């Protein structure tokens, strides 16, 4: 039991540190908005935008990140997971808090005509990861300017291959999370207002898996079906049966999705093909129901194909794209986020997010470091035309978002380390980790 004197001291400390919180949030945003600072971030983002690289091929992007870290005299380790970079700012001692940016582009032809359009045909930063990199470098600059005040170490994670290939998983396997006790990440959002952020405590994004099945029959002439075994009919029934999994085998209060997005095979009006292939995605909000669904997908495809005398093979493609876990936000960091982001942006500009069936490979970090937090950063300036959403060839980043992301990253980490020094917070922090 603490004496009233030491309680008084803790209270005083809390007041002092709470005061720091107010200052750093607003000060960091102001700093990131200064013309020279802003132009520097915009320049980085545009250079990366012009030269998009796909997952695990982010060689020049990685080099650009390292050059900027060198210029700021921030030490880093490289490579992690082929192109990944991990920088370190602060005391070099615990606690270690991580900030994450993804670096990969999409296989998409940019259709926006502007000065800094992608120079690589068929590749485009259409998800905003170019802006994510610029904002994490912006945070690095702010934090480096305050390195003597950091009560621990900020770990800057620049990862490859978020789009499907699970770069985060490889970063972890290569040790990027060593000693890390908390981690933050965000994604830009076209449909949300500039200067607002959204998130929620608990499950935020779904676990995701892919499947592909080849259904084989016996080819033949369309006019004599009795001499063939029709894989198109079998696959059609497979697709219908798959749709019964969510409606009939899942608790209606649990969210799941099975979508078949690909159905290929056959080449002529009057030929029954030898085989067809189907492929799709399945998603869920709990690990148990995710693996239950996976098992049933495989059983249903094989058994339903057999009804029509076809054979089926099912592949979950985990070599290429590992299953993404559920992204779960820590309750403790949600309170921290409300405080820090609220001070910076105004408490009215922190909105609740509903869970969605989208998936993020940030989930690999949140699986390993449960004190994890992911949020969305609004980009839409209400006085500009509506932005196209991510993965559109017409996607655009509103560069006015850059100071917000840089300052939020920096303030969330800075304040996390400051709070960790307050004994009452320390207790709570340790408790949450158990
Ligand atoms: C299915 O597999 C069995 C066992 O390998 C084989 O005998 C049969 O011919 C196959 N049927 C089709 C339609 O491919
Ligand atoms: C939104 O756009 C207007 C007009 O371009 C600009 O004056 C304003 O500063 C922008 N808002 C923010 C928050 O950047
Ligand atoms: Zn994306
Ligand atoms: Zn993305």
């Amino acid at each position: 039991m603490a004496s009233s004197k030491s309680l008084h001291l803790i209270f005083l400390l809390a007041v002092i540190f709470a005061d720091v919180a107010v200052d750093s949030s607003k000060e960091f945003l102001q700093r990131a908005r200064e013309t020279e600072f802003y132009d520097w971030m915009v320049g980085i983002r545009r250079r990366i935008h012009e030269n998009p690289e796909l997952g695990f091929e982010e060689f020049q992007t990685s080099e650009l990140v390292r050059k900027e870290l060198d210029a700021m005299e921030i030490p880093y380790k490289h490579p992690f997971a082929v192109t990944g970079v991990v920088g370190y700012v602060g005391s070099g001692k615990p606690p270690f808090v991580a900030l994450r940016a993804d670096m990969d582009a999409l296989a998409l032809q940019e259709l926006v005509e502007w000065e800094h359009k992608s120079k690589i045909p068929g590749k485009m930063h259409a998800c905003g990861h170019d802006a994510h990199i610029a904002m994490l470098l912006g945070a690095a600059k702010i934090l480096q300017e305050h390195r003597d005040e950091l009560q621990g170490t900020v770990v800057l994670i620049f990862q490859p291959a978020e789009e499907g290939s699970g770069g985060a998983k490889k970063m972890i396997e290569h040790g990027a999370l060593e000693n890390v006790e908390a981690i933050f990440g965000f994604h830009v959002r076209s449909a949300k207002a500039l200067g607002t952020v959204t998130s929620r405590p608990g499950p935020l994004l779904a676990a995701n898996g892919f499947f592909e099945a080849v259904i084989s029959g016996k080819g033949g002439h369309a006019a004599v079906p009795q001499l063939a075994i029709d894989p198109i009919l079998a696959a059609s029934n497979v697709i219908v049966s798959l749709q019964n999994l969510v409606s009939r085998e899942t608790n209606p209060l649990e969210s799941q999705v099975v979508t078949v997005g690909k159905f290929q095979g056959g080449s002529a009006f009057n030929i029954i093909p030898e085989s067809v292939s189907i492929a799709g995605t399945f998603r869920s909000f709990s690990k148990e129901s995710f693996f239950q669904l996976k098992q049933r997908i495989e059983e249903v495809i094989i058994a339903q194909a057999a009804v029509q005398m076809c054979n089926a093979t099912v592949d979950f493609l985990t070599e290429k794209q590992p299953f993404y876990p559920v992204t779960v936000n820590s309750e403790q960091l949600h309170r921290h986020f409300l405080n820090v982001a609220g001070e910076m942006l105004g408490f009215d500009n922190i909105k609740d997010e509903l869970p969605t069936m989208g998936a993020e490979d940030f989930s690999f970090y949140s699986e390993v470091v449960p004190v994890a937090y992911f949020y969305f950063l609004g980009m839409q300036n209400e006085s500009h035309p509506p932005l196209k959403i991510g993965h559109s060839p017409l996607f655009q980043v509103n560069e006015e978002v850059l100071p917000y992301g840089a300052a939020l990253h920096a303030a969330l980490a800075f304040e996390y380390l400051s709070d960790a020094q307050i004994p009452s917070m320390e207790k709570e922090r340790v408790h949450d980790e158990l």
Side-chain angles (χ1 to χ4, degrees), residues 238-248 257-260 300:
V238 163
I239 292 166
V240 173
S241 290
L242 287 175
Q243 290 311 317
N244 296 332
L245 290 176
V246 176
S247 77
R248 298 291 80 187
V257 166
V258 178
T259 294
V260 175
V300 164

Side-chain angles (χ1 to χ4, degrees), residues 118-139:
S118 167
K119 289 182 174 156
I120 315 289
K123 294 182 192 173
M124 176 187 182
H125 269 289
C127 201
H129 300 183
D130 48 353
H132 294 171
I133 299 166
M135 289 186 271
L136 187 52
L137 286 169

Side-chain angles (χ1 to χ4, degrees), residues 69-70 72-78 85-90 144 147 154 156:
L69 293 175
D70 283 334
M72 293 186 261
E73 298 181 358
I74 293 176
Y76 55 81
K77 290 187 191 162
H78 163 81
V85 182
V86 179
Y88 303 88
V89 189
Q144 181 69 341
R147 62 185 172 281
V154 182
L156 309 162

Side-chain angles (χ1 to χ4, degrees), residues 33 194 381-384 400 404:
R33 276 177 163 163
L194 183 65
N381 184 325
E382 309 290 349
S383 56
H384 298 177
E400 289 165 344
Y404 292 104

Side-chain angles (χ1 to χ4, degrees), residues 43-97:
I44 290 170
R45 185 256 151 177
R46 290 181 178 177
R47 266 183 286 154
I48 298 170
H49 189 84
E50 284 179 5
N51 189 18
E53 298 174 296
L54 302 182
F56 297 121
E57 298 171 2
E58 306 93 338
F59 295 105
Q60 294 183 35
T61 308
S62 169
E63 194 186 328
L64 184 154
V65 166
R66 281 176 278 131
K67 279 198 175 141
E68 293 295 341
L69 293 175
D70 283 334
M72 293 186 261
E73 298 181 358
I74 293 176
Y76 55 81
K77 290 187 191 162
H78 163 81
F80 286 78
V82 190
T83 57
V85 182
V86 179
Y88 303 88
V89 189
S91 68
K93 299 195 187 93
F96 289 80
V97 57

Side-chain angles (χ1 to χ4, degrees), residues 244-256 289 292:
N244 296 332
L245 290 176
V246 176
S247 77
R248 298 291 80 187
E249 297 186 17
T250 304
N251 180 340
L253 296 177
E254 259 194 46
S255 302
Q256 292 189 340
S289 68
Q292 169 69 14

